[in-house]
């Protein structure tokens, strides 16, 4: 199969890997309350943390990141750089809109990082450093993710990675869309701060 013909396969590989709901699987295995009935109802690591199980939240974060990395590496090996990027897009879409959960998935931060690790790991380090700096300064996890995701495509473009910059610009727009309720709460001053007691 030629590299161009493999692109749809890469998209499917990425989507299937990205749609694995690690947060839901891990919390069910641990016997906690259904994750979708807790907090925001989201399946990501932030909502897993609301169960009070920090270890499960960390495992969810790692699993969600690595499924993005795996999609990129596997498809890149089989079909080349373009296939890797298409698989990254597929993994992100799979995480956000998993068919198994009626297309209601996570918000995409962990898988965004995982895709970055697979495609351009210095970009993942940049993302994490910006997230940490913003979170430390302003105490908002959602805002930190938004700032880091907006700056990442700009940095990729500045370093000459125009194709990656275009991909991550698209992923950033999707991530912003998934954080639309957080943005409303940030504007209203009602978004929860990191470490704030309920």
């Amino acid at each position: 199969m030629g590299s161009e013909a493999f692109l749809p396969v890469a998209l499917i590989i990425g989507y299937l890997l990205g749609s694995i709901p690690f947060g839901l699987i891990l919390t069910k295995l641990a016997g906690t309350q259904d994750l979708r009935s807790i907090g925001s109802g989201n399946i990501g690591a932030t909502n897993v943390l609301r169960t009070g199980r920090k270890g499960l939240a960390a495992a969810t974060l790692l699993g969600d990141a690595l499924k993005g990395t795996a999609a990129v590496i596997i498809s890149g090996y089989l079909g080349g750089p373009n296939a890797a990027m298409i698989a990254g897009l597929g993994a992100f879409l799979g995480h956000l809109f998993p068919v198994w959960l009626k297309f209601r998935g996570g918000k995409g931060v962990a898988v965004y990082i995982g895709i970055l690790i697979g495609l351009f790991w210095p970009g993942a380090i940049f993302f994490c450093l910006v997230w940490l700096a913003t979170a430390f300064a302003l105490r908002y996890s959602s805002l930190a993710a938004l700032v880091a995701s907006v700056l990442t495509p700009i940095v990729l473009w500045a370093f000459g990675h125009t194709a990656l910059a275009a991909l991550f610009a698209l992923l950033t727009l999707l991530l912003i869309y998934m954080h639309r309720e957080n943005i409303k709460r940030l504007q209203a001053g009602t978004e929860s701060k990191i470490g704030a007691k309920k």
Side-chain angles (χ1 to χ4, degrees):
M1 183 181 293
S3 58
E4 295 301 316
F6 183 75
L7 296 183
V9 178
L11 185 67
I12 294 169
I13 290 171
Y15 181 87
L16 292 176
L17 285 170
S19 67
I20 300 171
F22 280 105
L24 192 61
I25 292 169
L26 291 172
T27 51
K28 278 193 173 185
L29 289 174
T32 69
Q33 183 180 346
D34 190 323
L35 188 59
R36 293 165 292 182
S37 67
I38 300 171
S40 65
N42 193 271
I43 63 167
T46 299
N47 209 40
V48 174
L49 192 59
R50 293 189 177 104
T51 67
R53 305 286 290 273
K54 293 181 179 179
L56 284 180
T60 300
L61 181 69
L62 184 62
D64 284 346
L66 290 181
K67 67 188 183 183
T69 306
V72 166
I73 291 175
I74 291 169
S75 295
Y77 175 78
L78 295 174
N82 289 339
M85 289 193 292
I86 291 295
L89 174 61
F92 201 73
L93 293 173
H95 180 75
L96 269 53
F97 311 111
V99 65
W100 334 108
L101 301 177
K102 299 180 180 179
F103 303 102
R104 295 182 63 184
K107 293 184 179 178
V109 178
V111 73
Y112 189 107
I113 296 168
I115 295 165
L116 261 176
I117 291 171
L119 291 173
F120 185 63
W121 64 263
I125 293 175
F126 171 81
F127 183 100
C128 292
L129 289 175
V130 172
W131 188 97
L132 287 169
T134 307
F136 180 80
L138 302 175
R139 313 301 296 174
Y140 290 112
S141 175
S142 57
L143 182 59
L146 290 166
V147 171
S149 67
V150 167
L151 292 179
T152 295
I154 297 171
V155 168
L156 291 172
W157 176 80
F159 278 87
H161 299 287
T162 52
L164 288 181
L167 170 63
F168 282 95
L170 175 57
L171 300 190
T172 294
L173 290 174
L174 289 167
L175 189 144
I176 291 170
Y177 172 76
M178 298 305 294
H179 282 79
R180 59 196 182 280
E181 295 302 322
N182 301 86
I183 293 170
K184 289 178 183 177
R185 290 193 295 270
L186 285 166
Q187 291 172 331
T190 57
E191 179 78 332
S192 297
K193 288 194 173 186
I194 296 171
K197 294 182 179 179
K198 300 286 185 183

